[in-house]
Amino acid sequence: MTDALNRPAEIAAFAEAVTSHGNVRVSLRDLWRLWAASAPRLIGHPAQAAALAAALADLADRDLIELPRTAWDTSTTPPLPRSITVPKSRRPGSVRRWTQFPWCTELGWAASLPSLSDARFNDLVAINDWLVRTRGTRLPVLPMRYRSVQLFGDEKHLEAMARTSLFGPDRLTLETLACVRIPPPLAAATVGAGPDVLVIENSDTYWTAVHTLRHQITHTIGIVAWGAGRAFPSQVPTLTVDIAGRGPVTGTVWYWGDMDPDGLAIASGAAAVGTIPILPARALWVAMAERPVQSPGTIDWTATPGREWLGPELWTQLAEIRSASGRVAQEAVPSTVIAEWAAAT
């Protein structure tokens, strides 16, 4: 009766519903719901349970589902499984492709990584292919973003990858990829023959210092550079490469910025890079203590940035600005003070 009662179209719909359910284990409650949706004409029919049992047996015969051995609901006639298993929904175990990939010598370490995302695996495969393809070739050393385009078609991809654990001792290096990371250029102008450099935070003060020091010959400042505000810490390594076409800095690097938390954070951040010493242009900072305090009562000095960089003496000399919860901008200091500082340096 049940074989005659069930219709092929309903069995097919039920099979599709069960196998696309998404779960490996499908409960009897869900089976009833899926069967009702597949064969709505049988809802309330005396043989509805028998029809479901026959449909499940059909799916099991075709290996679409697996019926349990013992977990059956005997409250119905015939008994129905409390749940069934859908083999198709079983997720295959994670395939550790990187442990079996034929890496070249430079990337042999990748096979022992405890984990590796698909995206990073593809990155390493691209590098592996490039290393194999260029083996024995004398490669020019390129800036990182040029090499990144060659490897990935994206100029910034290698830069992001270099910040991951795939780069490091005994792993990937820029040397392996025949490229270098060149720091951002530092806008600078020659103002004399001296070896020292004065780095200025603000652009108007930069131009003022350039104009002032070019007309003065009794100083050791050879170059005035514009730190471009918060960009300066990232530009510090440039000082050891080239500045104003004169090559690496050979003298002292002096820094002067706004007397406010941001200005001192920039200075201390640049000094922390460690590539080259960055020293406060002391007399220029001291001169700010003699200027009227700007924005009193509005500046939060709680974090006390730059205290160690300025040193205790200079920090104390600038205490009134902090006590007033104010600031003093570079532009408040006359150009004559820059000339006097340079002459005494």
Side-chain angles (χ1 to χ4, degrees):
M1 175 181 174
T2 52
D3 288 343
L5 189 62
N6 286 346
R7 295 175 179 175
E10 294 168 343
I11 298 292
F14 183 55
E16 174 63 25
V18 170
T19 56
S20 63
H21 184 264
N23 292 336
V24 175
R25 192 171 298 279
V26 183
S27 68
L28 179 56
R29 179 179 179 180
D30 284 337
L31 289 173
W32 271 119
R33 178 176 56 80
L34 298 174
W35 178 240
S38 302
R41 66 185 180 84
L42 295 177
I43 296 175
H45 194 287
Q48 185 180 16
L52 173 57
L56 289 171
D58 184 275
L59 269 57
D61 288 343
R62 290 188 280 154
D63 294 326
L64 296 178
I65 65 170
E66 295 174 358
L67 297 173
R69 292 184 178 182
T70 58
W72 289 78
D73 181 356
T74 58
S75 65
T76 61
T77 303
L80 293 171
R82 295 184 185 280
S83 66
I84 56 94
T85 299
V86 184
K88 177 183 175 182
S89 297
R90 287 194 179 103
R91 293 179 175 83
S94 178
V95 179
R96 296 163 58 86
R97 294 184 293 168
W98 67 92
T99 65
Q100 303 171 14
F101 189 84
W103 301 109
C104 64
T105 303
E106 295 88 341
L107 298 182
W109 50 267
S112 61
L113 291 174
S115 63
L116 188 66
S117 68
D118 287 343
R120 291 308 180 198
F121 172 75
N122 292 334
D123 287 342
L124 290 181
V125 169
I127 292 174
N128 189 85
D129 291 347
W130 177 81
L131 288 170
V132 171
R133 190 170 61 252
T134 58
R135 179 81 65 207
T137 304
R138 189 176 185 83
L139 294 171
V141 177
L142 299 179
M144 178 189 284
R145 292 192 175 185
Y146 280 78
R147 184 68 74 212
S148 186
V149 169
Q150 292 181 347
L151 291 170
F152 308 111
D154 179 347
E155 75 280 5
K156 296 181 181 178
H157 192 86
L158 185 56
E159 192 170 339
M161 191 177 174
R163 292 193 289 268
T164 72
S165 60
L166 296 180
F167 272 73
D170 300 322
R171 292 197 173 183
L172 271 177
T173 65
L174 295 184
E175 184 179 5
T176 301
L177 301 178
C179 65
V180 293
R181 176 184 286 146
I182 301 177
L186 191 62
T190 301
V191 295
D196 296 351
V197 175
L198 170 63
V199 182
I200 302 290
E201 177 182 345
N202 301 330
S203 59
D204 279 9
T205 307
Y206 162 79
W207 287 115
T208 297
V210 169
H211 176 78
T212 301
L213 298 182
R214 274 181 174 168
H215 291 82
Q216 182 182 349
I217 59 173
T218 56
H219 60 75
T220 61
I221 307 301
I223 295 171
V224 173
W226 176 43
R230 296 181 181 180
F232 182 52
S234 68
Q235 298 170 315
V236 169
T238 303
L239 294 165
T240 64
V241 178
D242 181 82
I243 183 165
R246 289 174 53 168
V249 173
T250 58
T252 302
V253 179
W254 304 102
Y255 186 81
W256 179 38
D258 292 331
M259 179 53 192
D260 58 24
D262 284 345
L264 289 177
I266 292 168
S268 57
V273 172
T275 307
I276 189 170
I278 309 294
L279 305 180
R282 181 173 297 275
L284 298 179
W285 289 96
V286 170
M288 302 176 96
E290 302 170 359
R291 310 308 300 168
V293 176
Q294 299 169 259
S295 307
T298 65
I299 307 300
D300 182 7
W301 282 95
T302 304
T304 62
R307 182 171 187 166
E308 293 185 6
W309 179 73
L310 284 174
E313 182 181 351
L314 192 50
W315 182 258
T316 300
Q317 289 176 298
L318 296 164
E320 290 188 13
I321 300 173
R322 301 192 306 277
S323 297
S325 296
R327 64 186 295 273
V328 174
Q330 287 184 300
E331 292 82 357
V333 177
S335 61
T336 54
V337 175
I338 299 175
E340 292 168 2
W341 167 81
T345 300

